[in-house]
């Protein structure tokens, strides 16, 4: 009796150890919750691992089922390789995106309904020739947060908008369907737009649209709108008002002034030319002005030596001075 008890305890311990080892061989990584936009789509990221390494896809079979219901029961699966085992409300709306041979169990749900909230769990079966090992990861299930309205885009813009200088504004929106990303559009007629898609983890993705244009004076107080159109047709938008800082322009002062000065100078030059051309006396008078008038010079009486003409009077025999010869300057 004692040996039987010891044997039974040993068997129970061995079964517990085996069960622990078996469950430790398989692990799954599934997001706990994720947003799902009604009428759109959602992609649930999922991965799993096995201690024996990667197994070929031919040896694996995957399914997703309701947490509170077993996958063995027909109609409890939201995804199964056999379409007849999928719930009618999910048929043709679910698809496995990952390859099981690469340990990828990512699930896509399209045309999301407001009752597709879950939680849903992943299950894998190891197909063998003799039996099937089944592993349901009921502790790693996903729950969908239903969104009846789409999220609004976020717009990031510079604080200052200067006329004539490049202006860059970014519009972004968060979504959970990378297979059908939202389309971002602007109410501006421009082709200078760059679009980016980024994985921000936990099943969330970000789509960015970067717009660059050169604002003009007419764009002041203009409303700029970024619109996001999601898969399924729902739209949301964000609008802001552009305030353009004008560049000081003095052309309305400089141009008339230059024209006026140029006209005045031209008029003065024409007048001078016409005056010189039709006034010949102007040339003669200028010639006369440049000539010096020379007055005749007479010798000074002091500069000329006085000469006296002494003649003998033949009659008297005395020296005689002719006064007429002395009065050459009319002083006597």
């Amino acid at each position: 009796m004692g040996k039987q008890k010891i044997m039974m305890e040993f068997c129970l311990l061995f079964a517990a150890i085996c069960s622990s080892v078996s469950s430790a061989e398989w692990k799954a990584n599934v997001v706990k919750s994720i947003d799902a936009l009604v009428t759109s789509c959602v992609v649930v990221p999922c991965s799993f691992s096995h201690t024996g390494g990667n197994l070929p896809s031919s040896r694996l079979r995957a399914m997703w089922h309701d947490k509170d219901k077993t996958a063995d029961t027909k109609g409890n699966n939201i995804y199964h390789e056999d379409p007849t085992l999928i719930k009618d409300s999910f048929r043709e709306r679910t698809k496995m995106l990952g390859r099981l041979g690469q340990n990828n169990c990512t699930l896509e749900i399209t045309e999301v309904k407001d009752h597709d909230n879950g939680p849903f769990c992943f299950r894998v079966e190891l197909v063998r020739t003799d039996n099937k090992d089944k592993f349901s990861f009921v502790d790693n299930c996903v729950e969908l947060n239903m969104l009846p309205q789409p999220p609004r885009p976020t717009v990031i813009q510079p604080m200052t908008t200067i006329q004539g200088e490049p202006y860059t504004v970014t519009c972004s929106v968060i979504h959970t369907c990378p297979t059908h990303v939202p389309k971002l559009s602007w109410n501006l007629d421009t082709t200078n737009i760059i679009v980016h898609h980024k994985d921000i983890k936990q099943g969330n993705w970000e789509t960015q649209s970067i717009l660059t244009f050169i604002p003009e004076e007419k764009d002041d107080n203009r409303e700029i709108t970024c619109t996001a159109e999601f898969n399924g047709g729902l739209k949301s938008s964000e609008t802001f008002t552009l305030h353009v800082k004008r560049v000081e322009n003095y052309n309305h002062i400089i141009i008339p002034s230059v024209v006026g000065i140029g006209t005045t100078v031209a008029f003065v030059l024409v007048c001078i030319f016409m005056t010189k051309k039709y006034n010949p006396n102007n040339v003669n008078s200028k010639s006369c002005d440049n000539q010096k008038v020379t007055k005749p010079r007479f010798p000074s009486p002091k500069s000329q030596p006085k000469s006296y003409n002494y003649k003998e009077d033949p009659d008297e025999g005395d020296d005689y001075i002719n006064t007429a010869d002395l009065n050459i300057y009319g002083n006597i």
Side-chain angles (χ1 to χ4, degrees), residues 275-285:
T275 301
K276 288 184 177 181
K277 183 176 181 180
Y278 295 103
N279 189 6
N281 295 330
N282 186 37
V283 178
N284 294 337
S285 61

Side-chain angles (χ1 to χ4, degrees), residues 236-247:
S236 62
S237 61
E238 183 66 22
T239 302
F240 68 96
T241 303
L242 195 66
H243 299 287
V244 180
K245 183 178 181 181
R246 296 179 177 85
V247 177

